[in-house]
Amino acid sequence: MKIEFVDDNIIVFLNKYITKDLDYKDKKVLETELRNIFDKLKNYYNIKIKGYYDVYIYIDFNYGAILELKEDDLGYLEYDDTLIDMRIMVNNIEMLYKVDDILLLDIPYNLYLYKGNFYIEPLDRVNNISMGKLLENSEIIYKGVEDIKRYGKVLKNVKYVL
């Protein structure tokens, strides 16, 4: 689990091992699991989540999920320090991985050049070793992927590089 704070939003990166048991279709189960994640944030990272949040969940079959928590200022919830209310929006997406240099990976992938940056798009399931190498050498991109794929130049359609 990795946490970032961007513009008063909390972004939680959850790999596929953390999210493997999440049921994204059953809102009650998903809400319970999100409350468990919020408890972990409170207990391990001292991040207190209370009030009303828009929770955007971005799911990728290779990585796992990214939670973007946007607090909504609704004054009527300020009296209770433990109350968490949320509106959940689930998005199935394909994440790209922004890299500084072209990586040699043993997976099929597309390599895009967009605005002077390289982006890798895995074309198949990624094994644990390749995923670790990719995550170690990249930044996960989960927003603006459509623009990169539409307007970026495909440099290589790499089947396998050994």
Side-chain angles (χ1 to χ4, degrees), residues 73-124:
D73 266 342
L74 297 175
Y76 69 89
L77 292 175
E78 291 181 12
Y79 66 89
D80 191 344
D81 283 348
T82 60
L83 183 62
I84 301 171
D85 197 10
M86 62 189 98
R87 179 174 53 182
I88 303 169
M89 287 144 291
V90 178
N91 303 294
N92 288 306
I93 62 166
E94 294 177 23
M95 294 180 189
L96 296 179
Y97 302 88
K98 182 179 172 184
V99 294
D100 293 330
D101 292 321
I102 299 171
L103 294 176
L104 296 178
L105 298 171
D106 60 350
I107 59 168
Y109 64 91
N110 283 332
L111 180 66
Y112 292 93
L113 176 64
Y114 180 71
K115 294 186 177 181
N117 296 306
F118 294 109
Y119 299 89
I120 289 178
E121 173 192 31
L123 298 175
D124 204 358

Side-chain angles (χ1 to χ4, degrees), residues 24 33 70-71 103 112 124 157-158 160-161:
Y24 298 104
E33 290 300 322
K70 295 184 178 188
E71 186 173 14
L103 294 176
Y112 292 93
D124 204 358
N157 185 326
V158 180
Y160 289 94
V161 177

Side-chain angles (χ1 to χ4, degrees):
M1 183 182 310
K2 175 183 164 187
I3 297 134
E4 290 182 358
F5 297 92
V6 178
D7 299 330
D8 295 331
N9 298 327
I10 302 170
I11 301 172
V12 182
F13 296 84
L14 304 169
N15 64 35
K16 62 185 172 186
Y17 299 107
I18 295 173
T19 61
K20 68 182 175 189
D21 295 328
L22 285 180
D23 182 4
Y24 298 104
K25 294 178 179 151
D26 186 347
K27 292 287 185 177
K28 287 284 185 198
V29 172
L30 183 57
E31 191 171 311
T32 301
E33 290 300 322
L34 286 174
R35 288 181 194 283
N36 291 337
I37 291 170
F38 297 161
D39 284 342
K40 287 180 185 176
L41 291 174
K42 178 182 171 188
N43 295 333
Y44 296 113
Y45 299 99
N46 201 24
I47 300 170
K48 295 177 183 162
I49 297 178
K50 62 179 182 174
Y52 183 81
Y53 282 85
D54 288 330
V55 180
Y56 299 92
I57 303 174
Y58 300 95
I59 307 164
D60 176 71
F61 70 93
N62 275 314
Y63 177 73
I66 295 176
L67 307 178
E68 192 171 275
L69 309 172
K70 295 184 178 188
E71 186 173 14
D72 196 351
D73 266 342
L74 297 175
Y76 69 89
L77 292 175
E78 291 181 12
Y79 66 89
D80 191 344
D81 283 348
T82 60
L83 183 62
I84 301 171
D85 197 10
M86 62 189 98
R87 179 174 53 182
I88 303 169
M89 287 144 291
V90 178
N91 303 294
N92 288 306
I93 62 166
E94 294 177 23
M95 294 180 189
L96 296 179
Y97 302 88
K98 182 179 172 184
V99 294
D100 293 330
D101 292 321
I102 299 171
L103 294 176
L104 296 178
L105 298 171
D106 60 350
I107 59 168
Y109 64 91
N110 283 332
L111 180 66
Y112 292 93
L113 176 64
Y114 180 71
K115 294 186 177 181
N117 296 306
F118 294 109
Y119 299 89
I120 289 178
E121 173 192 31
L123 298 175
D124 204 358
R125 290 243 179 238
V126 180
N127 63 45
N128 294 339
I129 295 171
S130 296
M131 193 65 186
K133 183 176 181 181
L134 184 58
L135 290 172
E136 188 175 306
N137 295 292
S138 69
E139 174 188 340
I140 299 172
I141 305 298
Y142 63 98
K143 288 186 174 179
V145 171
E146 299 83 19
D147 288 343
I148 295 169
K149 290 175 74 172
R150 181 178 303 134
Y151 301 116
K153 181 179 178 183
V154 179
L155 298 180
K156 280 188 180 179
N157 185 326
V158 180
K159 295 300 178 198
Y160 289 94
V161 177
L162 298 175

